[in-house]
Structure formats: structure tokens, C-alpha cells
Amino acid sequence: MKATRKDFGGMAARAAQQARVFFFCGPDEAGCTDAAEKIVSLLDVPGERVEMAGADLRKDPVRLGDEARSNSLFGGTSRHIWVRAQGDEAHDAVQILIENPVDSCPVLIVTTGATDKSRTAKLLAARNDALVTMFHPPDLGTVAAAVRTMANGAGLKLGSELAERIARGAGLDTRLARSEVTKLALYLDAMPETPRAVSSADLDEIGASTEDDDFSPLVDAVLGGKRAMVGPELKRMKDQGINPVGLLLAFERRAAQLAGLNARLGRGGDVGALLEAEAAARRVFWKDKPALSAQLRIWRGPRLARLVARLVAMHQSLLGNSQDSELLLSQGLLEIARTACLDVEHRTNRTAYP
């Protein structure tokens, strides 16, 4: 089976009962993650989650099938497998899994750097026991609508203006938006049975303790090759105790946004004209245009693909080494910043000396 982002909501319940392998791909990693979580919530017995990395499956492709079929072969508690991959890392593992007739537990693959035309997607799209869905970066209106849906489910009466404010503040990432909605519900003691209206003051109140933890300056310094700003921003991260995984998610969202813009830009496109059009369509916040303009000139083609792969590897490393996450993140961001700085210096020198 194959679904678009628009179709997914209507197909999710049936797919959760019918399919055993789910492949969520595209530049909107938050959308892919939300979709996978939705499927898990619809499973009759989700059981424990077994997490695997695509890089590990690429080295040992038989492992996925062994893990997925262990319940059927030996009994035991229910489970589902969650794979975080880059590109077609899981292709061989998926092929081995579906070629074996033994029933398996649900396998959910969330992958960046892949599309619904990738090799893994082609393995699954025509099968009735699989689902492939690609997620493009959403616009402000789409995320705002999702925020209102979350709010309704949490017992919050939320107007469209505040929903847009939450969506924009979360960088159009529905995972962070959901966190804000959860905080609001707790703050207002709201539940579906006892709904509460949300005011702008309420949103100000829950955001007051973290409003200085703005990720944008560091994201723009690192990805924009602003050498002088990187050190001070990393120090601010340390001094304020900013959560490393939350900060890395901000970089992942920006990389996904750059990938989407690159796809629309094509070869030889006009960056300025593209960003003006995107801002007019409310897919880009107008204040972000200068930073995105600079970053689009740095992160193109293979370099952008390497950036995405590097961020995915960093994410996996942080999750596996929580005690050293701050140090690992700082080191990774410095490596990315050096690449961006070298590009800026190269283009500056080329302009100065034609």
C-alpha cells in the first residue's frame, strides 16, 4: 500500500490491522515520526518497543527478520520494532524479512534521505501487508491545524491565532508543538471532560522559563558558517543547560526544511525569488529568509545529503550516550560549522579575486 500525507489519516486504522511493515520517508522527519507513533497507538497490542539503527541493519541484515519473528517462533511478550534509518540502509534487511513466510511483529521504519521512489519503498509499495508514506515539510496552516487537533484531544479550547503561534514557535515540528500542548494542559488542569480556554497570557506563562532557550541563533551560526558566533552560542547552550537532543532536533528540522527548499529550487533556481514565494505562501517565516538564503547557498546536493546523514548519526549517538550528550553534540556541531565556514570563505575569496 502507498499513501500520501493527506491519505494517511484515513488509512492508518486499516493499515495498523493489515500491514506488518511501515516505511515512513521524506524530508519531514517529524511527520514521519508522528505517523509511526500513530500506527503504534492503533495496534491491538503494541507491546515493548525494540529500537534498531539502520546502520546496524546494513551490517547485519538478517538481524531484523530474526528479531521480528522471535515471538512467532518462541512465544513471549508482544513487541514492535522501531528502525531509525538513513536512505536505503534497511533495504537488504527488509528484503530478507518479507521473503520469509513466517509472521512477524510490526516493523516501523522512519528514514530520512529517502523518498517513496527509493529501493526500499519499491519493495513495499505494492504489497498489501506493507505501507509506504512520504512526508514533505508542512506549511504553517497544516501544523496549526494539527495543533488545534492536539489541543482538542487534551481538553484545550485554542484559537487559530494561538495555534499558529505554537506552530511557529515549534519550528513547524509537531513533536515540539505536542510538548507545548501537553504543558498547557497541565498548567490549566485541562482534560477532555473538563475543557479549558487558552489565552495568550497562558502561553506566555508556560514559555517564560524557556524563552531564552532559543535554538535559532546557534542553528544559524553553525549552518550559516558564522565563525565568530559559534563559540559564544555553544557556551550559551552549556550555561543555560539546553537539552542536547532538543537542540539537535532543531538542526534536523532545519536540514529537512533546506531539503524541501532545495527540491523546489532545482538547478540554477533563484534563491531570493523562491524564499519570497515561500514566505508569501506562509511556508517560511519572513524573519528566517536571510538565514535560509545563506544556508541554501552552502548546503546543496551531496553536501546536504552528508549533513543529513551526520545529524542522524549524531542523534543515534546522543541517545546511546546520554551522559556525554552535551560534549558529543558540541563536537559534532563544530565539525558541521567548519564545513560551512570553509564554504563561506571560499565563496568570499572567489568574489574578491575573480
Side-chain angles (χ1 to χ4, degrees), residues 27-349:
D28 181 17
E29 199 263 347
C32 293
T33 301
D34 279 347
E37 293 286 8
K38 176 70 172 177
I39 292 296
V40 172
S41 72
L42 293 169
L43 296 174
D44 290 336
V45 185
E48 75 167 309
R49 174 174 299 180
V50 178
E51 297 194 4
M52 294 185 173
D56 293 336
L57 294 181
R58 183 177 56 191
K59 297 174 185 175
D60 183 11
V62 176
R63 181 183 168 195
L64 177 62
D66 289 345
E67 191 71 48
R69 292 189 297 270
S70 60
N71 280 9
S72 297
L73 294 173
F74 306 111
T77 58
S78 298
R79 61 174 60 187
H80 63 276
I81 295 176
W82 186 291
V83 178
R84 187 176 293 277
Q86 165 66 23
D88 274 320
E89 285 179 332
H91 173 272
D92 293 350
V94 170
Q95 186 170 30
I96 292 171
L97 173 67
I98 63 178
E99 286 176 350
N100 193 301
V102 179
D103 288 339
S104 67
C105 70
V107 175
L108 303 104
I109 303 169
V110 175
T111 180
T112 53
T115 71
D116 55 359
K117 303 295 191 297
S118 65
R119 293 169 62 225
T120 312
K122 289 178 180 178
L123 274 179
L124 302 170
R127 298 178 62 94
N128 291 326
D129 60 352
L131 175 66
V132 173
T133 309
M134 182 171 174
F135 290 85
H136 295 282
D139 56 23
L140 179 60
T142 300
V143 179
V147 169
R148 296 194 71 178
T149 300
M150 297 173 198
N152 289 337
L156 297 172
K157 299 177 181 178
L158 190 68
S160 57
E161 184 176 336
L162 289 182
E164 286 195 3
R165 180 179 161 189
I166 292 173
R168 187 179 290 115
L172 304 187
D173 188 313
T174 50
R175 293 166 299 186
L176 293 184
R178 181 175 289 106
S179 174
E180 292 301 296
V181 169
T182 300
K183 286 194 293 182
L184 275 170
L186 289 172
Y187 175 71
L188 295 172
D189 194 24
M191 292 184 291
E193 300 80 12
T194 55
R196 301 281 190 268
V198 181
S199 68
S200 180
D202 294 328
L203 193 53
D204 289 340
E205 190 65 27
I206 68 156
S209 62
T210 57
E211 64 184 0
D212 290 333
D213 296 347
D214 182 13
F215 299 153
S216 297
L218 180 54
V219 172
D220 291 338
V222 170
L223 297 183
K226 300 177 181 178
R227 185 189 298 275
M229 293 176 59
V230 174
E233 283 301 319
L234 285 174
K235 183 178 184 301
R236 183 175 72 89
M237 178 191 78
K238 180 178 177 59
D239 292 344
Q240 294 186 354
I242 295 176
N243 180 270
V245 174
L247 177 56
L248 184 57
L249 286 173
F251 278 88
E252 291 176 2
R253 291 194 301 275
R254 178 55 61 85
Q257 185 179 26
L258 291 172
L261 291 171
N262 264 290
R264 297 187 186 98
L265 184 63
R267 289 191 175 185
D270 186 327
V271 172
L274 171 68
L275 292 176
E276 287 296 333
E278 292 294 301
R282 303 176 77 183
R283 289 189 290 265
V284 164
F285 188 36
W286 65 270
K287 287 185 178 179
D288 291 337
K289 288 193 296 182
L292 288 171
S293 177
Q295 291 162 28
L296 276 171
R297 291 174 168 84
I298 297 172
W299 304 103
R300 301 294 307 272
R303 182 176 289 173
L304 177 59
R306 288 194 294 271
L307 171 65
V308 172
R310 179 68 179 125
L311 293 174
V312 170
M314 287 169 62
H315 196 125
Q316 294 169 347
S317 179
L318 294 191
L319 293 177
N321 302 275
S322 58
Q323 291 183 337
D324 299 322
S325 58
E326 187 178 293
L327 176 61
L328 292 171
L329 179 62
S330 296
Q331 290 175 338
L333 294 182
L334 283 172
E335 291 176 7
I336 294 170
R338 289 190 191 100
T339 299
C341 289
L342 288 172
D343 182 87
V344 170
E345 291 170 359
H346 173 72
R347 285 189 287 111
T348 300
N349 292 336

Side-chain angles (χ1 to χ4, degrees), residues 1 7-19 22 38-39 41-44 131:
M1 295 182 285
D7 299 332
F8 175 75
M11 294 180 60
R14 177 167 63 91
Q17 299 301 313
Q18 182 177 331
F22 303 85
K38 176 70 172 177
I39 292 296
S41 72
L42 293 169
L43 296 174
D44 290 336
L131 175 66

